[in-house]
Structure formats: C-alpha cells, structure tokens
Amino acid sequence: DGGITQSPKYLFRKEGQNVTLSCEQNLNHDAMYWYRQDPGQGLRLIYYSQIVNDFQKGDIAEGYSVSREKKESFPLTVTSAQKNPTAFYLCASRSRGLSTDTQYFGPGTRLTVL
Amino acid sequence: QKEVEQNSGPLSVPEGAIASLNCTYSDRGSQSFFWYRQYSGKSPELIMSIYSNGDKEDGRFTAQLNKASQYVSLLIRDSQPSDSATYLCAVYTGTASKLTFGTGTRLQVTL
C-alpha cells in the first residue's frame, strides 16, 4: 500500500510534556509538510522539508521542532513551549511531475492537552 | 487582506442542484490552485487541481480559474448528500514552496 501514515491517531498530553508525532511516507516524495488545524480554521503551516537533512520554519513554528534524517520520515515534536497545542495535526507530502504539483495528506493526529 | 479567502458558509443546496464555491487570492504570481474536500474529523482529500486559465472538468466537478480577477471556483453538478463537507481552496504562493489554505466553505446538500 502506498501512502502517508501518521501515528498515533489520538494523543493526550499533560501540560509540560514533549510529545512526538510520527509521519511516514512510501511515495518517494522529496518534500514533506506539517500543518495544524484548529476548529473552523484552515490549515496553518508549521514546518516543511524539501530534502533530507534540511527543513524550514513555516508560519507558526514556535514551540515545535522537526527532523528529516530519512526521506520517508518527518517526525514533529510538540514541546512544552507550545502554549496551545490542542489541535488536529496533518502531515503531507508533495508530488511534482511535468504537469502536476500537488500535496497529499495523511490521516492526521488529534492532540489534546489535559 | 488574507492571502486566500473563502466564504465560510454554510452553503446549502438541494440534492441534484449545482453547488458553486468561490475563492479569491492575493498573490498575482500564484500558478497552482487546488480544491480539497474535508469531511468532519478527517484529513483533506484532493479533488481538483488547476494550473491555467479556464475550466477543468472531472466528473461532476469543474474548477474555473481566472488569474486576471484572481479567483478560482469549484462547481459541483448534481449535488449529492455525500458531497456535504468543507471545501478548502489552496494556492501555492511566494516561491511556490508554501501552500496557503483558505478557511474553507461548508457545503450542506439537503434532501
């Protein structure tokens, strides 16, 4: 099965804890992205990586960190510095061809701070 | 001004009617435009992409792009209750490394 997987599906965190969200893809895509979605809101870009061992901050990177050690994997850590982490987190990868350029999403992780 | 703007809705249409969803964007240099469908609690699913002015049809869906007026629209013909979802407009902006999303339009197809 080709696609993007995210785990866990649901995650509960106590205040002050760091948590790591997993994102894996077997589509051989170079670029990967992390977004956050709050209720009734569009998606906001947290971090993105266009190639292994390189990543850039998006619009709301404060309180988050990422790594890109392998092409297939782009984990996101939500640190205790993130003031309001409860949200739906979406990972995406980018497919670029001669006439197409699109992003596809994983199923998402819903994070709740207790 | 927001980079990508959509009416939040809800847009209510009867079953079998045409649903028309609109989106405007601010970056004149944008080249790639997308419509995603998102069911409640699920991740966005790509339904249409359009890269040049004019219409692009795929089944019951038609995307329309007008770069001069900076808007992109999505028409859904013969609307079905299963089309009830939030539709997100997305545009590659800036250096085209960043996909910017609108806040989405909620569509309700009534029986």
Side-chain angles (χ1 to χ4, degrees):
Chain A
D1 259 351
I4 305 170
T5 57
Q6 292 186 242
S7 61
K9 187 173 181 180
Y10 298 98
L11 184 57
F12 298 91
R13 190 195 92 168
K14 294 181 181 179
E15 289 208 22
Q17 281 184 334
N18 292 354
V19 291
T20 297
L21 283 59
S22 169
C23 177
E24 303 276 334
Q25 55 100 359
N26 61 3
L27 301 168
N28 201 35
H29 293 166
D30 287 314
M32 297 184 73
Y33 302 79
W34 274 106
Y35 295 90
R36 168 184 172 141
Q37 187 176 36
D38 294 281
Q41 304 283 319
L43 279 66
R44 292 185 290 167
L45 182 64
I46 304 172
Y47 267 98
Y48 63 103
S49 168
Q50 300 196 73
I51 199 166
V52 174
N53 292 323
D54 187 48
F55 49 83
Q56 288 79 40
K57 293 181 179 180
D59 299 320
I60 55 165
E62 185 176 349
Y64 300 97
S65 66
V66 293
S67 63
R68 187 82 187 280
E69 296 176 2
K70 298 187 299 181
K71 189 175 187 177
E72 302 80 17
S73 178
F74 190 39
L76 173 74
T77 296
V78 184
T79 75
S80 57
Q82 169 50 234
K83 299 303 179 191
N84 185 20
T86 295
F88 189 37
Y89 289 86
L90 291 155
C91 177
S93 67
R94 184 173 183 178
S95 171
R96 303 184 82 162
L98 288 176
S99 59
T100 61
D101 185 353
T102 51
Q103 289 189 22
Y104 297 95
F105 287 86
T109 292
R110 196 166 297 277
L111 173 63
T112 303
V113 173
L114 302 173
Chain B
Q1 181 187 7
K2 291 182 181 178
E3 291 183 87
V4 180
E5 293 204 55
Q6 298 180 253
N7 187 319
S8 61
L11 173 66
S12 185
V13 299
E15 184 177 6
I18 295 175
S20 177
L21 301 102
N22 299 311
C23 171
T24 58
Y25 60 93
S26 61
D27 184 351
R28 281 199 170 275
S30 298
Q31 297 294 323
S32 306
F33 308 85
F34 308 90
W35 284 99
Y36 288 83
R37 178 177 62 198
Q38 186 175 27
Y39 292 113
S40 181
K42 302 296 186 183
S43 64
E45 172 193 11
L46 180 71
I47 54 172
M48 288 290 285
S49 58
I50 187 165
Y51 305 99
S52 55
N53 275 332
D55 295 359
K56 178 182 177 183
E57 187 175 317
D58 184 1
R60 295 187 296 112
F61 299 100
T62 299
Q64 300 175 316
L65 174 60
N66 184 324
K67 290 186 179 180
S69 300
Q70 295 175 247
Y71 83 78
V72 57
S73 61
L74 179 70
L75 301 178
I76 306 174
R77 289 181 299 281
D78 188 23
S79 295
Q80 301 296 310
S82 59
D83 295 326
S84 297
T86 296
Y87 290 80
L88 301 169
C89 173
V91 179
Y92 270 119
T93 58
T95 59
S97 59
K98 173 183 164 182
L99 192 60
T100 301
F101 287 81
T103 54
T105 297
R106 189 157 65 93
L107 174 66
Q108 293 178 336
V109 180
T110 57
L111 295 173

